[in-house]
Amino acid sequence: MIAALRERRIAGAAFDVFQTEPLPPESPFWTMPNVFITPHVGGYIVEYEDFIMPLIIGNMRLFLAGRQKEMANIVAR
């Protein structure tokens, strides 16, 4: 993909998800002028807030209670 974008065999690309996440800082995708990177919002729908707010509120309550290990959808760093 990188070669195709650099050689303009593909005019441009938009990426929302990568095999390795977070995308490493040294990835060439970050500096390619014909690449758009979005933070997992490629599938945005109007009802997104209705789906995500219970997760955020639940995680915030667990966090404030010192129960971080019970939180959902945590990305290991």
Side-chain angles (χ1 to χ4, degrees), residues 1 4 10-11 14 16 21 23 26 29 32 34 37-38 43 45 48 50 56 63 67 72:
M1 180 63 75
I10 298 174
D16 193 56
E21 291 195 353
L23 185 64
E26 63 274 6
F29 287 129
M32 298 178 81
N34 55 342
I37 298 173
T38 61
I45 57 173
Y48 180 76
D50 294 333
I56 293 171
F63 179 82
R67 297 166 45 197

Side-chain angles (χ1 to χ4, degrees), residues 51-63:
F51 295 137
I52 198 66
M53 286 312 292
L55 174 68
I56 293 171
I57 292 167
N59 275 351
M60 184 58 71
R61 285 185 175 138
L62 290 168
F63 179 82

Side-chain angles (χ1 to χ4, degrees), residues 3-77:
L5 287 163
R6 284 183 175 155
E7 297 165 9
R8 301 290 181 173
R9 288 183 279 140
I10 298 174
F15 299 109
D16 193 56
V17 177
F18 294 91
Q19 185 172 357
T20 301
E21 291 195 353
L23 185 64
E26 63 274 6
S27 172
F29 287 129
W30 288 117
T31 57
M32 298 178 81
N34 55 342
V35 169
F36 293 91
I37 298 173
T38 61
H40 292 264
V41 295
Y44 182 81
I45 57 173
V46 173
E47 297 86 1
Y48 180 76
E49 287 84 4
D50 294 333
F51 295 137
I52 198 66
M53 286 312 292
L55 174 68
I56 293 171
I57 292 167
N59 275 351
M60 184 58 71
R61 285 185 175 138
L62 290 168
F63 179 82
L64 293 173
R67 297 166 45 197
Q68 290 86 353
K69 291 184 180 182
E70 298 175 51
M71 294 167 59
N73 295 350
I74 301 302
V75 177
R77 295 182 196 212

